[in-house]
Amino acid sequence: MRTTAPSVDIFYQGPSTRFFRTEIDFLIVPDRFMLEDCPFTVLPSTNYVCIVWQDNAAVGDSLSLDQFLEMRHAQAYSERTTFIETWFFKQFGRAPRAGITAPSFTLIPEAIIGTRFLALIPADLAERAATTLPIRQVAAPISLPLMSDVLQWRISHERDPGLQWLRTLIQDVAHRRHKSLIARSSRDA
């Protein structure tokens, strides 16, 4: 985008109340928190992966289910019950215990450094974070659900050519990153 539209500014904002006040143009939210009566497009799903600090001696290459459920977790904050919490309650009657709560997934990899906590984060974030931070992935004891997000905008902006272009760009980048992650996962397997 910096080469095709260098004067466009991107601000990562939150929460969705700013969307209603028309201070931001788009929302990228989990599909279960999708706003009614707003157009949307589904973005590629991503896997959750389990990460720990690379020097966390309490965790080997994999975790047992008991170990996974007993350990304290670093989690992204949500005012609502998260998808992963709901999923764990349905599967096991309880959810992992939070020891660190961060305002977004992007802060979690750094938050676990120097701790015995573990975290479930999107696979693409884990891959990016592992290139600069002392973290490692560990095999989870269960198959984790997919994380699905949607891109939403206001109906009044449906035909705005600049926002149409940006929506298309966001979708294209999301699909290219998803394909790249799948290709790397296949090579590593």
Side-chain angles (χ1 to χ4, degrees):
M1 189 165 106
R2 292 292 168 227
T3 57
T4 58
S7 63
V8 171
D9 294 323
I10 300 293
F11 298 96
Y12 293 96
Q13 304 274 333
S16 57
T17 53
R18 300 196 67 188
F19 180 76
F20 293 117
R21 293 192 309 246
T22 68
E23 295 171 358
I24 57 177
D25 294 310
F26 300 108
L27 288 176
I28 297 177
V29 296
D31 57 359
R32 66 185 293 234
F33 298 142
M34 201 165 78
L35 302 175
E36 291 185 30
D37 302 324
C38 286
F40 70 94
T41 187
V42 177
L43 298 174
S45 297
T46 187
N47 292 329
Y48 282 100
V49 296
C50 187
I51 62 167
V52 296
W53 174 45
Q54 74 180 13
D55 293 334
N56 184 342
V59 177
D61 293 333
S62 63
L63 295 160
S64 70
L65 182 58
D66 286 338
Q67 191 180 20
F68 182 87
L69 290 171
E70 289 303 317
M71 287 182 71
R72 294 179 69 197
H73 289 234
Q75 298 175 340
Y77 172 76
S78 176
E79 292 177 359
R80 307 176 212 180
T81 302
T82 65
F83 170 71
I84 201 75
E85 288 172 315
T86 302
W87 185 84
F88 270 97
F89 274 116
K90 284 181 183 176
Q91 300 294 316
F92 307 106
R94 63 183 177 148
R97 296 179 310 142
I100 298 172
T101 303
S104 74
F105 277 121
T106 57
L107 298 174
I108 290 176
E110 193 164 343
I112 66 169
I113 295 170
T115 74
R116 292 181 147 220
F117 297 148
L118 64 89
L120 296 176
I121 63 172
D124 59 336
L125 173 59
E127 184 178 294
R128 284 192 316 274
T131 64
T132 59
L133 297 173
I135 62 170
R136 61 186 168 95
Q137 286 189 36
V138 295
I142 49 175
S143 293
L144 297 167
L146 292 176
M147 179 174 157
S148 299
D149 288 331
V150 295
L151 172 67
Q152 289 198 272
W153 56 93
R154 285 183 291 286
I155 191 74
S156 60
H157 290 167
E158 182 79 37
R159 296 181 189 264
D160 181 299
L163 294 178
Q164 285 177 339
W165 170 82
L166 189 53
R167 282 195 309 264
T168 300
L169 180 64
I170 291 168
Q171 292 172 69
D172 290 347
V173 168
H175 285 280
R176 278 197 311 264
R177 287 182 64 202
H178 181 70
K179 287 178 186 174
S180 175
L181 186 63
I182 289 172
R184 281 192 301 276
S185 295
S186 295
R187 281 193 308 264
D188 295 342

